[in-house]
Amino acid sequence: MKIRTILNGQKAGNPLLHEAIAAVRQHHFFALDVRIAYLPEDLSTLVKECAEDGIDRIVVGGGDGTINGVLNAMMLLEETKRPELAILPLGTANDFATAAEIPLDPYEALLMAVNGESRPIDIGCVNDRYFLNVASGGFGAQVTTETPPGLKSFLGGGAYALTGILKLFSFTPVRGTMRIGEYRFEGSSFATAVCNGRQAGGGMLLSPEACIDDGLLDIVLFTLDPLPIPSELSPPSETLLGGMPFRKILRASEVEFTPEEEQMRRINLDGEPYEALSFLFRILPSSLRLVLPDTCPMLRENTP
């Protein structure tokens, strides 16, 4: 198998990462091929080169935003030329990796990335963009966007919590329309998240039982408005709604949001900003193979 690692240039100087790469090369006799992306636009170029060079598996080293950049480049490839993906978590929050129980230690993560088994997973799509983990709008999106990079470097995932506290009292709920098939809902929400994964924003658990191979999106609304959820859109587990009455969760393969306010037209895809007048979310079942631990709790086979 031909494996190539693509690293975020801002993380490439990490001494633990250097030790991990050296250990894999020395003790496991694996000629690890490494490329560095110094600019965001380098990611698409490097992914294209992987396809041209017949690379079987890409190991992406960085945070959720770097993973999103590589993912979007990979999804533009023909499916037959799309390599497998493995994650080397090097970000501030590493929300997807944490929820998937991918090791956060660089050496352990790199070993799994090289030797682990890949599994088919679903990918989220909004208009013409893709996301692996969570697309968020409203309060959560504002916090993610406005948290300073320096604060994230200093406090890690706690920086999102601090920024959230500072923004909380000045945030106004936003109104919009949501359509799922024949159903149409109108109202306001403090935050909206369309989840393939389970958590975002430095460890905030949004949809505790979302799976990345069930062919469905978990749609989470933080709202004080009454929302009669039809039984066919309700998650099967009652635990999702327990203890947090203002969190409403629905499940569907497709959902469309049309916001009234300009503020809601800015969302985050795995932490990366995206703007549109309206948002059509779809799930693309089994469209990518991802290296995961056998015990990954976001796989249906491991869900009680």
Side-chain angles (χ1 to χ4, degrees), residues 11 14 29 45-46 58 68 83 104 109 115 119 123 142 153 156 171 176-177 192 195 216 219 238 241 256:
K11 308 295 182 179
N14 185 329
F29 308 104
T45 301
L46 293 174
I58 295 175
N68 182 267
L104 300 183
N115 298 318
R119 299 167 184 267
I123 296 299
Q142 187 181 62
S153 298
F171 187 81
T177 301
T192 302
C195 303
L216 294 169
I219 303 143
E238 294 180 357
L241 302 178
E256 183 176 16

Side-chain angles (χ1 to χ4, degrees), residues 4 6 35-37 42-51:
R4 180 171 294 170
I6 297 177
R35 299 288 190 275
I36 298 177
D42 293 341
L43 295 173
S44 59
T45 301
L46 293 174
V47 168
K48 184 178 178 180
E49 289 178 359
C50 287

Side-chain angles (χ1 to χ4, degrees), residues 175-190:
R175 292 191 58 82
T177 301
M178 179 176 69
R179 291 184 178 85
I180 302 177
E182 63 183 279
Y183 298 102
R184 184 175 184 269
F185 308 96
E186 291 185 2
S188 62
S189 68
F190 288 89

Side-chain angles (χ1 to χ4, degrees), residues 6 40-48 58 60 63-78 82-83 85 123-135 268-274 282 284 287-288:
I6 297 177
E41 51 265 34
D42 293 341
L43 295 173
S44 59
T45 301
L46 293 174
V47 168
K48 184 178 178 180
I58 295 175
V60 54
D64 293 313
T66 303
I67 297 168
N68 182 267
V70 169
L71 170 69
N72 272 271
M74 291 180 67
M75 293 301 292
L76 296 179
L77 300 173
E78 294 180 27
R82 194 175 296 158
L85 184 65
I123 296 299
C125 175
V126 53
N127 299 346
D128 59 349
R129 292 283 300 277
Y130 303 91
F131 62 98
L132 174 64
N133 189 31
V134 172
N268 285 322
L269 306 178
D270 298 336
E272 294 300 293
Y274 175 69
R282 295 177 293 125
L284 306 178
S287 54
L288 185 73

